[in-house]
Amino acid sequence: MLLAAGCAGRTPDTGQTPDTDGKVQKPPAQSQSVSPVEPGEKKGPAGLVAATVTRVVDGDTLVVRLKDGKSETVRLIGVNTPESTREVEPYGKEASAYTRSRLDGQRIWLERDVQERDHYGRILAYVWLEPPGGVDPAEDVIRSHMFNAELLLKGYAQVMTVPPNVKYADLFVQLQREAREKKRGLWGLEVKDREPYYVGNARSKKFHRPDCEYGRQTAPDNRVRFATREEALDAGYEPCNACKP
Ligand SMILES: [Zn+2]
């Protein structure tokens, strides 16, 4: 745990780490805090909640107003856009501007996964631009109507998988691969300082440059060697925030 925390660097900001403070996570179906979709509205996956975006904080974080008038912060599940607030990473401003242009003031629908909130109290959600109309939406519906998927497809976000919220994780890796192969968005940025190989940690699912201290501390049993960063990304590994491979 110590290693994972040190390596992640931005983990507190991404906020999707499992709750460790001992609070019981209520499953979405039992939530009292969010209004269900009203009768007569199109139904999607169980627990789909309508909301209006009142502010875009950055590429993957929004403030929404729910039907009962309550304001909530929403963190998108499974994706991570480059930083644009506390520090500015390459493509962070673009990602933030894109999300603002697509979602600000819009009506959206929130789909939960296993954990309702992160440890900052933010709602964890897949953001639908239109209700998908089924518990297991078809891939083309996800591609065209889910904003998390759109961010990946257009290269504004990288995959960030945080168990147990993994409903669309495999598809997300595939969408990221498409964006990368077409050099869309952040994938069009020049990659500097390529390494002869990379070291993955099978437990944290992060990958590192060979000389990264967090990579070197990886237990031998958890070590995975990748010839290229593309190989690591396609295996669902995420770049370490310390060595930025
Ligand atoms: Zn590293």
Side-chain angles (χ1 to χ4, degrees), residues 194-244:
R194 282 188 179 271
E195 303 284 355
Y197 68 96
Y198 297 85
V199 178
N201 181 331
R203 197 155 163 269
S204 68
K205 291 278 185 177
K206 301 273 182 191
F207 72 97
H208 306 267
R209 296 177 186 276
D211 61 353
C212 174
E213 59 175 308
Y214 300 113
R216 287 207 310 262
Q217 287 168 17
T218 303
D221 285 353
N222 292 332
R223 240 171 232 263
V224 186
R225 188 181 167 115
F226 296 108
T228 62
R229 63 193 300 278
E230 287 73 20
E231 202 179 284
L233 291 163
D234 285 346
Y237 283 65
E238 295 147 28
C240 162
N241 287 319
C243 63
K244 300 186 189 299

Side-chain angles (χ1 to χ4, degrees), residues 74-225:
V74 173
R75 175 63 167 80
L76 274 61
I77 298 172
V79 299
N80 193 31
T81 56
E83 277 292 303
S84 65
T85 51
R86 291 175 313 158
E87 58 169 315
V88 178
E89 294 175 336
Y91 228 67
K93 293 289 184 196
E94 288 86 347
S96 186
Y98 183 73
T99 297
R100 192 163 293 122
S101 74
R102 294 286 282 135
L103 297 186
D104 204 13
Q106 296 297 308
R107 186 161 174 75
I108 58 169
W109 287 262
L110 305 176
E111 179 190 358
R112 309 298 183 69
D113 204 322
V114 175
Q115 291 177 307
E116 184 181 351
R117 292 172 188 272
D118 65 12
H119 58 276
Y120 294 105
R122 301 182 295 192
I123 290 176
L124 295 171
Y126 304 102
V127 167
W128 291 92
L129 303 165
E130 289 177 34
V135 177
D136 286 309
E139 187 179 322
D140 63 318
V141 174
I142 298 169
R143 284 170 178 268
S144 55
H145 296 332
M146 189 209 281
F147 190 68
N148 309 48
E150 182 174 320
L151 283 176
L152 291 168
L153 274 169
K154 294 192 179 262
Y156 286 110
Q158 298 191 43
V159 168
M160 188 185 70
T161 304
V162 182
N165 308 309
V166 300
K167 179 173 178 184
Y168 300 104
D170 291 345
L171 175 62
F172 283 3
V173 170
Q174 186 189 316
L175 301 181
Q176 170 175 271
R177 179 180 191 145
E178 285 180 33
R180 204 189 64 235
E181 285 173 353
K182 290 175 179 163
K183 296 193 187 319
R184 291 184 187 140
L186 61 87
W187 304 109
L189 302 173
E190 193 184 343
V191 176
K192 287 177 188 150
D193 310 322
R194 282 188 179 271
E195 303 284 355
Y197 68 96
Y198 297 85
V199 178
N201 181 331
R203 197 155 163 269
S204 68
K205 291 278 185 177
K206 301 273 182 191
F207 72 97
H208 306 267
R209 296 177 186 276
D211 61 353
C212 174
E213 59 175 308
Y214 300 113
R216 287 207 310 262
Q217 287 168 17
T218 303
D221 285 353
N222 292 332
R223 240 171 232 263
V224 186
R225 188 181 167 115

